Amino acid sequence: MFDCVALVGATGAVGRIVLDQLHARQFPMRKLRLLASARSAGTQVQFGDETLTVELLEPSAFEGVDLVIASTPDEVSAEFTPWATKAGAIVVDESAYWRMDPSVPLIVPEVNPDAIDSHQGVVASPNCSTTQMVVALAPIHKAVGIRRVIVSTYQATSGAGLAGNVELESSTRASLDGQTHAAETFQHPIGFNLIPQIGSEKHEGYTSEEMKMVYETQKIMGDESIQVCPTAVRVPVAIGHSESILVETREPLSAAQARKLWEEADGVTVVDDLNSKSYPMPRDCDGKDDVFVGRIRKDISAENGIAFWCVSDNLRKGAATNAVQIAELLAKKHQPAG
């Protein structure tokens, strides 16, 4: 039981879901404080039967706080996290700022929960596209080992925040009305379009979003020998990232064996019956916490390959739910002073 938990970024899309999850999952805490920038400070937010007032994010705000859950831009996390840890709080951070810091564990509870024991005051939650992929990869890697992963993502506009969904609507409306639309959040108009660029150019033609999937996957799985070839694409879908994944395993694995592993895995739901047109789709996974797997089949072009389709709500398991699950791991280990 934590005496005091602080949520930084409570008024954002992910922060709102964190609030819902803390209430729905009956997170063990006595008090909850909401922190945000001056623009949002003073805003009143409902939490169960309580009405909470958002307080200003400043160093003194962390006095008496045991745990912080944060969903902020990288630069905000870089500034406030030292304030929180200096005050004695543990920070569960959603931003990308701390993920590849060697002293910071990068956690997906279904995959590497024990890694949390190495934290030094900060625990990072991965990129949304990485999170759902490693949840699906982990049972395979544990059973037969993974040599290589080829993944193409189909990422929802909400991955770019509230502005992404606003632009999806305005861009789509402009297209339907036969008007031009000036893109602001994305590189090109997203309505009725696909954009094969998420993030900036990072490494040999790969984008920052793609390289996150490479490095984060290796860190979470604890195996730098796993090779990942990603292509990240923004699609005109509001919520729910989809991924087409081809896994080259170290030992042979049939499609039936892979399906059984996923059926028995925590946090995975199998939806896989092509004859009945049953497979995961973003509209069916919206608002759900699991990672959904379907279109499971043997790679007919090479040995030791399994192809599948993976969908997850990027705001929930890809962000808010994973952060709350990390906080629950910490709560189990927390012993209040005195």
Side-chain angles (χ1 to χ4, degrees):
M1 173 74 72
F2 287 107
D3 285 328
C4 184
V5 174
L7 173 58
V8 181
T11 58
V14 173
R16 292 171 184 174
I17 298 174
V18 171
L19 270 177
D20 290 342
Q21 291 282 61
L22 289 173
H23 184 259
R25 298 167 77 100
Q26 298 183 320
F27 187 79
M29 60 183 173
R30 294 188 175 90
K31 181 181 179 182
L32 176 64
R33 298 174 64 184
L34 309 182
L35 306 177
S37 65
R39 183 179 60 184
S40 298
T43 302
Q44 291 193 323
V45 176
Q46 200 68 25
F47 179 66
D49 296 331
E50 297 181 73
T51 300
L52 304 178
T53 301
V54 178
E55 303 172 46
L56 180 64
L57 178 62
E58 57 185 346
S60 62
F62 295 101
E63 294 177 8
V65 172
D66 302 304
L67 176 74
V68 178
I69 302 175
S71 177
T72 69
D74 294 2
E75 63 274 13
V76 177
S77 178
E79 182 178 22
F80 86 77
T81 297
W83 302 344
T85 55
K86 185 177 181 180
I90 304 170
V91 178
V92 177
D93 187 55
E94 285 280 357
S95 82
Y97 189 80
W98 302 100
R99 290 174 187 159
M100 296 312 299
D101 187 315
S103 68
V104 176
L106 185 61
I107 301 295
V108 176
E110 296 91 340
V111 181
N112 63 336
D114 292 342
I116 203 168
D117 293 335
S118 68
H119 83 80
Q120 299 174 31
V122 183
V123 181
S125 185
N127 183 46
C128 46
S129 52
T130 303
T131 301
Q132 70 183 76
M133 184 171 76
V134 297
V135 169
L137 293 181
I140 304 297
H141 189 51
K142 184 177 181 180
V144 293
I146 291 175
R147 187 186 306 276
R148 184 174 182 231
V149 181
I150 301 172
V151 54
S152 294
T153 72
Y154 304 77
Q155 294 182 222
T157 54
S158 57
L162 294 172
N165 281 0
V166 170
E167 189 155 313
L168 170 62
E169 183 176 343
S170 59
S171 179
T172 302
R173 195 175 302 280
S175 295
L176 289 170
D177 292 342
Q179 299 175 352
T180 58
H181 179 267
E184 296 179 3
T185 302
F186 305 116
Q187 298 87 349
H188 302 277
I190 189 64
F192 299 101
N193 196 22
L194 302 178
I195 305 173
Q197 178 184 356
I198 302 179
S200 58
E201 184 174 356
K202 189 71 173 178
H203 175 73
E204 296 186 359
Y206 288 85
T207 67
S208 54
E209 181 79 3
E210 290 160 352
M211 294 311 297
K212 287 176 188 177
M213 296 189 73
V214 176
Y215 298 134
E216 291 178 15
T217 297
Q218 293 173 341
K219 183 174 180 177
I220 296 163
M221 305 286 275
D223 188 345
E224 293 184 359
S225 73
I226 297 175
Q227 301 299 299
V228 183
C229 180
T231 302
V233 183
R234 187 72 70 188
V235 300
V237 170
I239 296 175
H241 288 357
S242 303
E243 297 176 350
S244 174
I245 301 175
L246 175 61
V247 181
E248 179 186 341
T249 58
R250 295 187 180 277
E251 300 175 21
L253 184 74
S254 69
Q257 289 171 325
R259 181 179 291 104
K260 188 173 188 296
L261 289 171
W262 281 316
E263 288 173 343
E264 295 173 350
D266 291 338
V268 177
T269 295
V270 175
V271 183
D272 186 42
D273 189 344
L274 191 59
N275 289 330
S276 66
K277 305 180 182 64
S278 181
Y279 25 72
M281 294 182 290
R283 65 185 302 168
D284 298 328
C285 302
D286 184 353
K288 299 175 182 175
D289 292 321
D290 270 9
V291 171
F292 293 80
V293 170
R295 295 302 318 278
I296 303 165
R297 57 208 189 276
K298 189 74 175 172
D299 178 7
I300 59 174
S301 69
E303 293 183 4
N304 290 9
I306 295 290
F308 64 99
W309 177 252
C310 173
V311 182
S312 186
D313 184 324
N314 55 294
L315 299 179
R316 296 182 76 88
K317 183 55 188 171
T321 301
N322 198 69
V324 173
Q325 289 174 321
I326 292 171
E328 288 172 340
L329 285 179
L330 292 167
K332 290 177 182 178
K333 301 172 182 292
H334 179 68
Q335 296 294 331

PDB file of all heavy atoms in Angstrom, residues 181-211:
ATOM      1  N   HIS A 181      -5.980  19.774 -47.417  1.00  0.00           N
ATOM      2  CA  HIS A 181      -5.796  19.826 -45.961  1.00  0.00           C
ATOM      3  C   HIS A 181      -4.317  19.982 -45.658  1.00  0.00           C
ATOM      4  O   HIS A 181      -3.485  19.183 -46.115  1.00  0.00           O
ATOM      5  CB  HIS A 181      -6.332  18.556 -45.304  1.00  0.00           C
ATOM      6  CG  HIS A 181      -6.154  18.529 -43.817  1.00  0.00           C
ATOM      7  ND1 HIS A 181      -5.067  17.953 -43.210  1.00  0.00           N
ATOM      8  CD2 HIS A 181      -6.920  19.039 -42.812  1.00  0.00           C
ATOM      9  CE1 HIS A 181      -5.174  18.084 -41.894  1.00  0.00           C
ATOM     10  NE2 HIS A 181      -6.282  18.739 -41.631  1.00  0.00           N
ATOM     11  N   ALA A 182      -3.965  21.011 -44.922  1.00  0.00           N
ATOM     12  CA  ALA A 182      -2.573  21.243 -44.546  1.00  0.00           C
ATOM     13  C   ALA A 182      -2.240  20.428 -43.298  1.00  0.00           C
ATOM     14  O   ALA A 182      -2.778  20.687 -42.220  1.00  0.00           O
ATOM     15  CB  ALA A 182      -2.343  22.726 -44.292  1.00  0.00           C
ATOM     16  N   ALA A 183      -1.367  19.436 -43.447  1.00  0.00           N
ATOM     17  CA  ALA A 183      -0.986  18.590 -42.314  1.00  0.00           C
ATOM     18  C   ALA A 183      -0.136  19.373 -41.321  1.00  0.00           C
ATOM     19  O   ALA A 183       0.721  20.166 -41.718  1.00  0.00           O
ATOM     20  CB  ALA A 183      -0.220  17.376 -42.810  1.00  0.00           C
ATOM     21  N   GLU A 184      -0.392  19.164 -40.036  1.00  0.00           N
ATOM     22  CA  GLU A 184       0.383  19.809 -38.984  1.00  0.00           C
ATOM     23  C   GLU A 184       1.044  18.771 -38.071  1.00  0.00           C
ATOM     24  O   GLU A 184       2.241  18.811 -37.823  1.00  0.00           O
ATOM     25  CB  GLU A 184      -0.506  20.733 -38.153  1.00  0.00           C
ATOM     26  CG  GLU A 184      -1.072  21.909 -38.944  1.00  0.00           C
ATOM     27  CD  GLU A 184      -1.961  22.794 -38.095  1.00  0.00           C
ATOM     28  OE1 GLU A 184      -2.080  22.523 -36.877  1.00  0.00           O
ATOM     29  OE2 GLU A 184      -2.534  23.754 -38.638  1.00  0.00           O
ATOM     30  N   THR A 185       0.258  17.818 -37.602  1.00  0.00           N
ATOM     31  CA  THR A 185       0.794  16.791 -36.710  1.00  0.00           C
ATOM     32  C   THR A 185       1.609  15.751 -37.470  1.00  0.00           C
ATOM     33  O   THR A 185       2.639  15.273 -36.982  1.00  0.00           O
ATOM     34  CB  THR A 185      -0.350  16.094 -35.957  1.00  0.00           C
ATOM     35  OG1 THR A 185      -1.081  17.079 -35.223  1.00  0.00           O
ATOM     36  CG2 THR A 185       0.173  15.041 -34.999  1.00  0.00           C
ATOM     37  N   PHE A 186       1.158  15.388 -38.660  1.00  0.00           N
ATOM     38  CA  PHE A 186       1.827  14.374 -39.466  1.00  0.00           C
ATOM     39  C   PHE A 186       2.530  15.011 -40.671  1.00  0.00           C
ATOM     40  O   PHE A 186       2.310  16.174 -40.989  1.00  0.00           O
ATOM     41  CB  PHE A 186       0.814  13.317 -39.917  1.00  0.00           C
ATOM     42  CG  PHE A 186       0.062  12.697 -38.769  1.00  0.00           C
ATOM     43  CD1 PHE A 186      -1.309  12.868 -38.643  1.00  0.00           C
ATOM     44  CD2 PHE A 186       0.735  11.966 -37.799  1.00  0.00           C
ATOM     45  CE1 PHE A 186      -2.000  12.311 -37.581  1.00  0.00           C
ATOM     46  CE2 PHE A 186       0.047  11.409 -36.724  1.00  0.00           C
ATOM     47  CZ  PHE A 186      -1.321  11.579 -36.616  1.00  0.00           C
ATOM     48  N   GLN A 187       3.360  14.209 -41.348  1.00  0.00           N
ATOM     49  CA  GLN A 187       4.152  14.738 -42.458  1.00  0.00           C
ATOM     50  C   GLN A 187       3.301  15.035 -43.690  1.00  0.00           C
ATOM     51  O   GLN A 187       3.663  15.855 -44.534  1.00  0.00           O
ATOM     52  CB  GLN A 187       5.259  13.740 -42.837  1.00  0.00           C
ATOM     53  CG  GLN A 187       6.266  13.464 -41.731  1.00  0.00           C
ATOM     54  CD  GLN A 187       5.835  12.339 -40.801  1.00  0.00           C
ATOM     55  OE1 GLN A 187       4.695  11.873 -40.843  1.00  0.00           O
ATOM     56  NE2 GLN A 187       6.750  11.884 -39.955  1.00  0.00           N
ATOM     57  N   HIS A 188       2.151  14.338 -43.808  1.00  0.00           N
ATOM     58  CA  HIS A 188       1.253  14.474 -44.958  1.00  0.00           C
ATOM     59  C   HIS A 188      -0.178  14.337 -44.461  1.00  0.00           C
ATOM     60  O   HIS A 188      -0.406  13.865 -43.343  1.00  0.00           O
ATOM     61  CB  HIS A 188       1.550  13.389 -46.007  1.00  0.00           C
ATOM     62  CG  HIS A 188       2.955  13.400 -46.506  1.00  0.00           C
ATOM     63  ND1 HIS A 188       3.388  14.238 -47.518  1.00  0.00           N
ATOM     64  CD2 HIS A 188       4.050  12.670 -46.137  1.00  0.00           C
ATOM     65  CE1 HIS A 188       4.671  14.024 -47.745  1.00  0.00           C
ATOM     66  NE2 HIS A 188       5.098  13.075 -46.923  1.00  0.00           N
ATOM     67  N   PRO A 189      -1.177  14.715 -45.256  1.00  0.00           N
ATOM     68  CA  PRO A 189      -2.570  14.483 -44.863  1.00  0.00           C
ATOM     69  C   PRO A 189      -2.801  12.999 -44.570  1.00  0.00           C
ATOM     70  O   PRO A 189      -2.384  12.135 -45.352  1.00  0.00           O
ATOM     71  CB  PRO A 189      -3.367  14.958 -46.076  1.00  0.00           C
ATOM     72  CG  PRO A 189      -2.485  15.971 -46.731  1.00  0.00           C
ATOM     73  CD  PRO A 189      -1.080  15.457 -46.535  1.00  0.00           C
ATOM     74  N   ILE A 190      -3.456  12.687 -43.461  1.00  0.00           N
ATOM     75  CA  ILE A 190      -3.648  11.304 -43.044  1.00  0.00           C
ATOM     76  C   ILE A 190      -4.981  10.731 -43.515  1.00  0.00           C
ATOM     77  O   ILE A 190      -5.153   9.511 -43.597  1.00  0.00           O
ATOM     78  CB  ILE A 190      -3.510  11.170 -41.505  1.00  0.00           C
ATOM     79  CG1 ILE A 190      -3.495   9.701 -41.066  1.00  0.00           C
ATOM     80  CG2 ILE A 190      -4.615  11.945 -40.791  1.00  0.00           C
ATOM     81  CD1 ILE A 190      -2.320   8.897 -41.580  1.00  0.00           C
ATOM     82  N   GLY A 191      -5.950  11.580 -43.858  1.00  0.00           N
ATOM     83  CA  GLY A 191      -7.246  11.088 -44.309  1.00  0.00           C
ATOM     84  C   GLY A 191      -7.126  10.270 -45.578  1.00  0.00           C
ATOM     85  O   GLY A 191      -6.561  10.745 -46.568  1.00  0.00           O
ATOM     86  N   PHE A 192      -7.634   9.031 -45.545  1.00  0.00           N
ATOM     87  CA  PHE A 192      -7.579   8.117 -46.693  1.00  0.00           C
ATOM     88  C   PHE A 192      -6.147   7.926 -47.193  1.00  0.00           C
ATOM     89  O   PHE A 192      -5.905   7.820 -48.401  1.00  0.00           O
ATOM     90  CB  PHE A 192      -8.478   8.621 -47.831  1.00  0.00           C
ATOM     91  CG  PHE A 192      -9.924   8.707 -47.448  1.00  0.00           C
ATOM     92  CD1 PHE A 192     -10.492   9.932 -47.119  1.00  0.00           C
ATOM     93  CD2 PHE A 192     -10.723   7.574 -47.376  1.00  0.00           C
ATOM     94  CE1 PHE A 192     -11.828  10.029 -46.738  1.00  0.00           C
ATOM     95  CE2 PHE A 192     -12.059   7.653 -47.006  1.00  0.00           C
ATOM     96  CZ  PHE A 192     -12.609   8.885 -46.680  1.00  0.00           C
ATOM     97  N   ASN A 193      -5.198   7.877 -46.273  1.00  0.00           N
ATOM     98  CA  ASN A 193      -3.800   7.819 -46.665  1.00  0.00           C
ATOM     99  C   ASN A 193      -3.010   6.960 -45.685  1.00  0.00           C
ATOM    100  O   ASN A 193      -3.474   6.688 -44.569  1.00  0.00           O
ATOM    101  CB  ASN A 193      -3.214   9.243 -46.692  1.00  0.00           C
ATOM    102  CG  ASN A 193      -1.900   9.318 -47.441  1.00  0.00           C
ATOM    103  OD1 ASN A 193      -1.586   8.468 -48.272  1.00  0.00           O
ATOM    104  ND2 ASN A 193      -1.108  10.341 -47.159  1.00  0.00           N
ATOM    105  N   LEU A 194      -1.843   6.501 -46.099  1.00  0.00           N
ATOM    106  CA  LEU A 194      -0.881   5.822 -45.238  1.00  0.00           C
ATOM    107  C   LEU A 194       0.429   6.590 -45.328  1.00  0.00           C
ATOM    108  O   LEU A 194       0.836   6.993 -46.423  1.00  0.00           O
ATOM    109  CB  LEU A 194      -0.639   4.372 -45.686  1.00  0.00           C
ATOM    110  CG  LEU A 194      -1.837   3.425 -45.752  1.00  0.00           C
ATOM    111  CD1 LEU A 194      -1.390   2.062 -46.269  1.00  0.00           C
ATOM    112  CD2 LEU A 194      -2.484   3.271 -44.397  1.00  0.00           C
ATOM    113  N   ILE A 195       1.086   6.767 -44.209  1.00  0.00           N
ATOM    114  CA  ILE A 195       2.334   7.526 -44.189  1.00  0.00           C
ATOM    115  C   ILE A 195       3.440   6.630 -43.634  1.00  0.00           C
ATOM    116  O   ILE A 195       3.449   6.313 -42.441  1.00  0.00           O
ATOM    117  CB  ILE A 195       2.195   8.794 -43.322  1.00  0.00           C
ATOM    118  CG1 ILE A 195       1.023   9.648 -43.799  1.00  0.00           C
ATOM    119  CG2 ILE A 195       3.494   9.600 -43.355  1.00  0.00           C
ATOM    120  CD1 ILE A 195       0.709  10.837 -42.899  1.00  0.00           C
ATOM    121  N   PRO A 196       4.382   6.198 -44.484  1.00  0.00           N
ATOM    122  CA  PRO A 196       5.427   5.275 -44.018  1.00  0.00           C
ATOM    123  C   PRO A 196       6.580   5.993 -43.335  1.00  0.00           C
ATOM    124  O   PRO A 196       7.750   5.736 -43.616  1.00  0.00           O
ATOM    125  CB  PRO A 196       5.871   4.594 -45.318  1.00  0.00           C
ATOM    126  CG  PRO A 196       5.685   5.650 -46.356  1.00  0.00           C
ATOM    127  CD  PRO A 196       4.467   6.438 -45.939  1.00  0.00           C
ATOM    128  N   GLN A 197       6.243   6.878 -42.425  1.00  0.00           N
ATOM    129  CA  GLN A 197       7.247   7.552 -41.591  1.00  0.00           C
ATOM    130  C   GLN A 197       6.631   7.932 -40.255  1.00  0.00           C
ATOM    131  O   GLN A 197       5.667   8.676 -40.197  1.00  0.00           O
ATOM    132  CB  GLN A 197       7.790   8.823 -42.256  1.00  0.00           C
ATOM    133  CG  GLN A 197       8.799   9.542 -41.368  1.00  0.00           C
ATOM    134  CD  GLN A 197       9.306  10.856 -41.931  1.00  0.00           C
ATOM    135  OE1 GLN A 197       8.978  11.236 -43.051  1.00  0.00           O
ATOM    136  NE2 GLN A 197      10.131  11.546 -41.157  1.00  0.00           N
ATOM    137  N   ILE A 198       7.209   7.375 -39.187  1.00  0.00           N
ATOM    138  CA  ILE A 198       6.847   7.790 -37.831  1.00  0.00           C
ATOM    139  C   ILE A 198       8.152   8.140 -37.134  1.00  0.00           C
ATOM    140  O   ILE A 198       9.009   7.283 -36.930  1.00  0.00           O
ATOM    141  CB  ILE A 198       6.090   6.689 -37.063  1.00  0.00           C
ATOM    142  CG1 ILE A 198       4.822   6.283 -37.830  1.00  0.00           C
ATOM    143  CG2 ILE A 198       5.733   7.162 -35.656  1.00  0.00           C
ATOM    144  CD1 ILE A 198       4.025   5.178 -37.167  1.00  0.00           C
ATOM    145  N   GLY A 199       8.311   9.405 -36.799  1.00  0.00           N
ATOM    146  CA  GLY A 199       9.559   9.871 -36.220  1.00  0.00           C
ATOM    147  C   GLY A 199      10.506  10.404 -37.280  1.00  0.00           C
ATOM    148  O   GLY A 199      10.201  10.434 -38.476  1.00  0.00           O
ATOM    149  N   SER A 200      11.665  10.802 -36.819  1.00  0.00           N
ATOM    150  CA  SER A 200      12.675  11.385 -37.710  1.00  0.00           C
ATOM    151  C   SER A 200      13.649  10.319 -38.189  1.00  0.00           C
ATOM    152  O   SER A 200      13.697   9.210 -37.654  1.00  0.00           O
ATOM    153  CB  SER A 200      13.448  12.476 -36.957  1.00  0.00           C
ATOM    154  OG  SER A 200      14.055  11.928 -35.790  1.00  0.00           O
ATOM    155  N   GLU A 201      14.436  10.665 -39.220  1.00  0.00           N
ATOM    156  CA  GLU A 201      15.442   9.730 -39.705  1.00  0.00           C
ATOM    157  C   GLU A 201      16.470   9.506 -38.605  1.00  0.00           C
ATOM    158  O   GLU A 201      16.973  10.440 -37.987  1.00  0.00           O
ATOM    159  CB  GLU A 201      16.122  10.264 -40.956  1.00  0.00           C
ATOM    160  CG  GLU A 201      17.107   9.271 -41.543  1.00  0.00           C
ATOM    161  CD  GLU A 201      17.690   9.703 -42.875  1.00  0.00           C
ATOM    162  OE1 GLU A 201      17.268  10.752 -43.393  1.00  0.00           O
ATOM    163  OE2 GLU A 201      18.576   8.986 -43.386  1.00  0.00           O
ATOM    164  N   LYS A 202      16.796   8.243 -38.363  1.00  0.00           N
ATOM    165  CA  LYS A 202      17.637   7.913 -37.208  1.00  0.00           C
ATOM    166  C   LYS A 202      18.890   7.139 -37.574  1.00  0.00           C
ATOM    167  O   LYS A 202      19.979   7.470 -37.160  1.00  0.00           O
ATOM    168  CB  LYS A 202      16.799   7.117 -36.201  1.00  0.00           C
ATOM    169  CG  LYS A 202      17.479   6.889 -34.855  1.00  0.00           C
ATOM    170  CD  LYS A 202      17.577   8.172 -34.055  1.00  0.00           C
ATOM    171  CE  LYS A 202      18.108   7.901 -32.657  1.00  0.00           C
ATOM    172  NZ  LYS A 202      18.261   9.155 -31.881  1.00  0.00           N
ATOM    173  N   HIS A 203      18.746   6.079 -38.371  1.00  0.00           N
ATOM    174  CA  HIS A 203      19.886   5.194 -38.602  1.00  0.00           C
ATOM    175  C   HIS A 203      19.726   4.482 -39.942  1.00  0.00           C
ATOM    176  O   HIS A 203      18.818   3.659 -40.117  1.00  0.00           O
ATOM    177  CB  HIS A 203      19.979   4.172 -37.463  1.00  0.00           C
ATOM    178  CG  HIS A 203      21.047   3.133 -37.652  1.00  0.00           C
ATOM    179  ND1 HIS A 203      22.389   3.413 -37.509  1.00  0.00           N
ATOM    180  CD2 HIS A 203      20.973   1.816 -37.979  1.00  0.00           C
ATOM    181  CE1 HIS A 203      23.091   2.316 -37.738  1.00  0.00           C
ATOM    182  NE2 HIS A 203      22.255   1.333 -38.021  1.00  0.00           N
ATOM    183  N   GLU A 204      20.577   4.805 -40.882  1.00  0.00           N
ATOM    184  CA  GLU A 204      20.618   4.121 -42.177  1.00  0.00           C
ATOM    185  C   GLU A 204      19.249   4.002 -42.835  1.00  0.00           C
ATOM    186  O   GLU A 204      18.872   2.948 -43.361  1.00  0.00           O
ATOM    187  CB  GLU A 204      21.264   2.743 -42.033  1.00  0.00           C
ATOM    188  CG  GLU A 204      22.726   2.822 -41.606  1.00  0.00           C
ATOM    189  CD  GLU A 204      23.412   1.466 -41.607  1.00  0.00           C
ATOM    190  OE1 GLU A 204      22.742   0.459 -41.923  1.00  0.00           O
ATOM    191  OE2 GLU A 204      24.614   1.424 -41.304  1.00  0.00           O
ATOM    192  N   GLY A 205      18.483   5.096 -42.787  1.00  0.00           N
ATOM    193  CA  GLY A 205      17.174   5.104 -43.433  1.00  0.00           C
ATOM    194  C   GLY A 205      16.030   4.655 -42.546  1.00  0.00           C
ATOM    195  O   GLY A 205      14.870   4.741 -42.950  1.00  0.00           O
ATOM    196  N   TYR A 206      16.322   4.190 -41.340  1.00  0.00           N
ATOM    197  CA  TYR A 206      15.280   3.814 -40.389  1.00  0.00           C
ATOM    198  C   TYR A 206      14.906   5.036 -39.551  1.00  0.00           C
ATOM    199  O   TYR A 206      15.738   5.894 -39.270  1.00  0.00           O
ATOM    200  CB  TYR A 206      15.754   2.679 -39.474  1.00  0.00           C
ATOM    201  CG  TYR A 206      15.855   1.350 -40.174  1.00  0.00           C
ATOM    202  CD1 TYR A 206      17.001   1.014 -40.883  1.00  0.00           C
ATOM    203  CD2 TYR A 206      14.795   0.447 -40.144  1.00  0.00           C
ATOM    204  CE1 TYR A 206      17.098  -0.196 -41.555  1.00  0.00           C
ATOM    205  CE2 TYR A 206      14.887  -0.772 -40.806  1.00  0.00           C
ATOM    206  CZ  TYR A 206      16.037  -1.085 -41.512  1.00  0.00           C
ATOM    207  OH  TYR A 206      16.118  -2.282 -42.178  1.00  0.00           O
ATOM    208  N   THR A 207      13.647   5.092 -39.140  1.00  0.00           N
ATOM    209  CA  THR A 207      13.180   6.226 -38.337  1.00  0.00           C
ATOM    210  C   THR A 207      13.402   5.977 -36.850  1.00  0.00           C
ATOM    211  O   THR A 207      13.690   4.845 -36.420  1.00  0.00           O
ATOM    212  CB  THR A 207      11.684   6.481 -38.572  1.00  0.00           C
ATOM    213  OG1 THR A 207      10.931   5.376 -38.042  1.00  0.00           O
ATOM    214  CG2 THR A 207      11.360   6.670 -40.051  1.00  0.00           C
ATOM    215  N   SER A 208      13.219   7.035 -36.071  1.00  0.00           N
ATOM    216  CA  SER A 208      13.377   6.915 -34.621  1.00  0.00           C
ATOM    217  C   SER A 208      12.386   5.911 -34.035  1.00  0.00           C
ATOM    218  O   SER A 208      12.726   5.146 -33.124  1.00  0.00           O
ATOM    219  CB  SER A 208      13.209   8.283 -33.956  1.00  0.00           C
ATOM    220  OG  SER A 208      11.982   8.884 -34.325  1.00  0.00           O
ATOM    221  N   GLU A 209      11.150   5.890 -34.552  1.00  0.00           N
ATOM    222  CA  GLU A 209      10.150   4.932 -34.067  1.00  0.00           C
ATOM    223  C   GLU A 209      10.586   3.503 -34.356  1.00  0.00           C
ATOM    224  O   GLU A 209      10.425   2.603 -33.517  1.00  0.00           O
ATOM    225  CB  GLU A 209       8.800   5.201 -34.742  1.00  0.00           C
ATOM    226  CG  GLU A 209       7.666   4.285 -34.302  1.00  0.00           C
ATOM    227  CD  GLU A 209       7.053   4.671 -32.970  1.00  0.00           C
ATOM    228  OE1 GLU A 209       7.475   5.694 -32.401  1.00  0.00           O
ATOM    229  OE2 GLU A 209       6.142   3.952 -32.508  1.00  0.00           O
ATOM    230  N   GLU A 210      11.159   3.292 -35.528  1.00  0.00           N
ATOM    231  CA  GLU A 210      11.606   1.946 -35.902  1.00  0.00           C
ATOM    232  C   GLU A 210      12.784   1.491 -35.048  1.00  0.00           C
ATOM    233  O   GLU A 210      12.830   0.340 -34.595  1.00  0.00           O
ATOM    234  CB  GLU A 210      11.946   1.938 -37.392  1.00  0.00           C
ATOM    235  CG  GLU A 210      10.710   2.072 -38.264  1.00  0.00           C
ATOM    236  CD  GLU A 210      10.988   2.543 -39.675  1.00  0.00           C
ATOM    237  OE1 GLU A 210      12.143   2.935 -39.980  1.00  0.00           O
ATOM    238  OE2 GLU A 210      10.043   2.536 -40.487  1.00  0.00           O
ATOM    239  N   MET A 211      13.726   2.388 -34.796  1.00  0.00           N
ATOM    240  CA  MET A 211      14.888   2.001 -34.001  1.00  0.00           C
ATOM    241  C   MET A 211      14.523   1.771 -32.537  1.00  0.00           C
ATOM    242  O   MET A 211      15.167   0.978 -31.851  1.00  0.00           O
ATOM    243  CB  MET A 211      15.990   3.048 -34.134  1.00  0.00           C
ATOM    244  CG  MET A 211      16.580   3.144 -35.540  1.00  0.00           C
ATOM    245  SD  MET A 211      17.045   1.544 -36.263  1.00  0.00           S
ATOM    246  CE  MET A 211      18.330   0.997 -35.130  1.00  0.00           C
TER     247      MET A 211
END
